[in-house]
Structures are given as C-alpha cells and as structure tokens.
Amino acid sequence: MLKSMTGFGRAEQSVGDKTFLIDIKSLNGKQFDLQLKMPAFLKPFEFDIRRLLSEGLGRGTVDCSINLKETGNAKPVTINTGLAKTYYYPLAELAKELNLDASTILSTLVKLPEVITPTSETLTETEWSQFEQMMQTAIANLNEHRLDEGRSLKGDLELRIENIRKQQAVVTELAPLRQTKIRENLTRLLEEKVGKDAYDDNRLEQELIYYIEKIDISEEQVRLNNHCDYFITVMNEDNAESKGKKLSFILQEIGREINTTGSKAYDSQIQKAVVLMKDELEKAKEQVLNVM
C-alpha cells in the first residue's frame, strides 16, 4: 500500500450562523510546506489549524483555503457608521461647493481607512469544536484521494521493477558467453601479433582467469535481485506512511548495482540491457518523488 503526496480534499458545513468551505490540495515536497488562506476572524485559531494540517497530512506542499460563504446571518465585516458619517458630511459639502455629483460619495467612503473592517467576532468553543471536525473531514477526504493516487503509483512502480528484472535476465543469460568471446579475441590477437606457436597456453589461461574474475558480475546480479525484492516488499507493507524516502534509498542501491554491471560489461548486448534498466530506474525515481 502506497500513499501519494498529491491529493485534493473538500468540506462544506455550517458552524453557528456561518457556512464554511474548506479546500485543501497537496503536491509532492520534501517537507511540510503550507500556504494558508482564511478569514481574519479565524486568526486566533491559526496555530491550531496549522497543527491539524501538519499532523493529518505529514509532508508535501499544501495549499489550504478556508472561505466564509455569504449567508443572511454571517457578518464577515463591520461598518464603522460613526466614522463614515464623519467622512461623509465634509465630502458632501465639498461636492456641493464644486458642483459635483454627490451620488458617488458612498463608493468613495467604503474605500477610506477603517470605514469597513473585519468583524471582531470569533468562534465560540463549541463552534471551534465543530469547525475542527470539519477540518478533519477535509483532511480525511484528501488522504483518501492520496491513497487512490498511491494505488496508481504502486502499479507503475511494480512495472518499472518488473522491466528491470527482465533486462537483468538478459544480462544473466549473456554474461557466461563473454568468457568464450574473451578467449577467442585474445587468442586471435596473440596469433596475429606473435604467431600461433609463440605464446604460452598456460600463461594465457592464467591471464584469462584473472581477467574473467575481474569482470565477473554475478555478485552485482545477486544484490540487484535482492534490492528489487526488498523494494516490492516495502511497497506491499500494510503501513502506507513514510515509505517514499525508504523506497528512494532502495532505488539508489539498485542504481549502484546497475552502474557497476555496466562498467564491467565489456559486451554491447549487456550494455544495451543496462541502458534499458537505467531508463526504467529513472522513471521509478520520478514516481517515488510523489510517494509519502
């Protein structure tokens, strides 16, 4: 089971005389990075809201938007009528003296400092409890979406590992044939350079053994197979949390064995298989970046 860092969650609910709409979306990120937008009267609860999001979502780049929907009873702002009147009378008098249309004064008034201010009311303890449950609902919806995305990621990663195994099987089949090729190439080279009867067969055998041992890739193939097994095991663990970094480390080890195989290959067909394995590995690395 895997969980993606990509997801979307939404919740809408009435709390007291207010109706809230919460939208949360997340993308991949190394740490928890939150962008939070909310009405000013929720500022006293900002720390608690951030804590809920951090604990509920773990890590990722998160954008949370909390909006207050317009209702008959909601009071998102207050109008300072006393201050508005103080502004109005001098403006009306000025408009009269200058023969200006006084009907535009209202639109000017609402733009003046402190005429319209955010409401000073906040949530009661009961309302905060309801709002907190609403936040948990939006977080749960996002996490469910993350699990759906995780299932798709798991299928793709399994395909990448399977493709690496297929190319590994090709390498395993081709590797023993290199000994015959090496022997034939060295023998032909010696015959061309020093003559057929001018070199020591025993010495040639010793050099061949040394050379073949030096380019042996059997250990790399065993470790590569073990890393692939471990990668699949970790993906299938019941716990869906905090697997991304571990899977990334395993892919690094897989890449190390593939690179060593390539450096010891000395065979065009094996090199071709190594290139294909590297291609699948890079695709897997890109996908693992999205795993929690």
Side-chain angles (χ1 to χ4, degrees):
M1 183 184 298
L2 293 183
K3 181 186 283 187
S4 171
M5 276 189 278
T6 301
F8 177 78
R10 167 175 284 187
E12 182 176 345
Q13 183 180 322
S14 294
V15 176
D17 60 356
K18 306 171 185 66
T19 299
F20 290 97
L21 176 63
I22 300 175
D23 285 328
I24 313 173
K25 62 179 179 181
S26 68
L27 300 172
N28 64 309
K30 292 183 178 180
Q31 307 296 331
F32 180 74
D33 182 17
L34 174 63
Q35 294 292 327
L36 179 61
K37 300 175 184 177
M38 61 183 183
F41 69 88
L42 286 178
K43 284 293 182 181
F45 302 99
E46 181 175 357
F47 178 80
D48 293 307
I49 292 171
R50 288 181 177 273
R51 175 184 54 79
L52 288 171
L53 291 166
S54 176
E55 292 177 354
L57 300 178
R59 69 189 181 102
T61 302
V62 178
D63 187 350
C64 177
S65 177
I66 304 173
N67 294 303
L68 182 64
K69 298 189 71 176
E70 292 294 336
T71 64
N73 297 322
K75 299 176 182 177
V77 297
T78 58
I79 299 177
N80 190 334
T81 54
L83 181 61
K85 291 177 181 178
T86 302
Y87 283 133
Y88 174 78
Y89 292 118
L91 289 173
E93 187 65 27
L94 180 61
K96 183 178 179 181
E97 290 180 8
L98 299 176
N99 292 321
L100 298 177
D101 185 2
S103 62
T104 62
I105 293 179
L106 181 60
S107 62
T108 304
L109 277 177
V110 297
K111 298 177 183 179
L112 293 174
E114 306 299 326
V115 173
I116 295 182
T117 59
T119 181
S120 59
E121 66 176 314
T122 186
L123 301 182
T124 65
E125 187 174 336
T126 301
E127 289 173 339
W128 163 248
S129 180
Q130 294 175 341
F131 181 84
E132 186 176 11
Q133 301 231 340
M134 183 184 174
M135 285 289 302
Q136 296 286 14
T137 299
I139 291 170
N141 290 339
L142 189 148
N143 279 325
E144 187 61 35
H145 191 190
R146 281 178 160 184
L147 286 173
D148 290 339
E149 290 290 318
R151 294 184 188 98
S152 299
L153 282 176
K154 182 174 179 289
D156 188 83
L157 287 168
E158 286 175 339
L159 176 62
R160 302 305 164 198
I161 297 299
E162 180 183 350
N163 290 339
I164 288 174
R165 288 188 189 276
K166 287 180 180 178
Q167 296 306 318
Q168 182 188 11
V170 172
V171 172
T172 302
E173 183 180 351
L174 292 173
L177 303 179
R178 294 180 306 162
Q179 298 181 18
T180 303
K181 290 182 180 180
I182 291 170
R183 179 186 296 275
E184 291 175 351
N185 290 338
L186 284 176
T187 301
R188 183 174 65 253
L189 182 62
L190 288 170
E191 289 177 356
E192 291 175 356
K193 298 298 182 182
V194 300
K196 186 175 181 180
D197 300 322
Y199 62 87
D200 186 346
D201 287 337
N202 292 330
R203 179 67 177 176
L204 175 60
E205 289 297 326
Q206 293 176 1
E207 293 296 330
L208 281 171
I209 292 172
Y210 170 78
Y211 189 66
I212 289 171
E213 287 181 347
K214 188 176 180 181
I215 65 171
D216 179 65
I217 56 175
S218 57
E219 291 185 7
E220 284 77 9
Q221 295 307 292
V222 170
R223 288 195 294 267
L224 176 57
N225 187 62
N226 290 339
H227 294 328
C228 288
D229 287 342
Y230 186 43
F231 188 90
I232 297 298
T233 298
V234 171
M235 278 206 304
N236 288 322
E237 290 175 351
D238 291 336
N239 180 23
E241 303 292 338
S242 303
K243 289 185 179 180
K245 291 182 179 179
K246 183 184 289 187
L247 292 175
S248 180
F249 292 147
I250 300 172
L251 288 180
Q252 289 180 23
E253 295 302 315
I254 290 175
R256 184 173 289 110
E257 303 306 332
I258 292 174
N259 288 333
T260 306
T261 298
S263 65
K264 291 184 176 182
Y266 294 100
D267 181 274
S268 61
Q269 293 302 311
I270 292 179
Q271 289 285 8
K272 180 179 177 180
V274 166
V275 169
L276 293 174
M277 282 194 283
K278 287 183 177 181
D279 182 51
E280 295 297 327
L281 179 65
E282 289 305 310
K283 292 175 181 177
K285 285 182 177 179
E286 290 178 6
Q287 293 288 47
V288 163
L289 290 175
N290 291 315
V291 177
M292 284 290 292

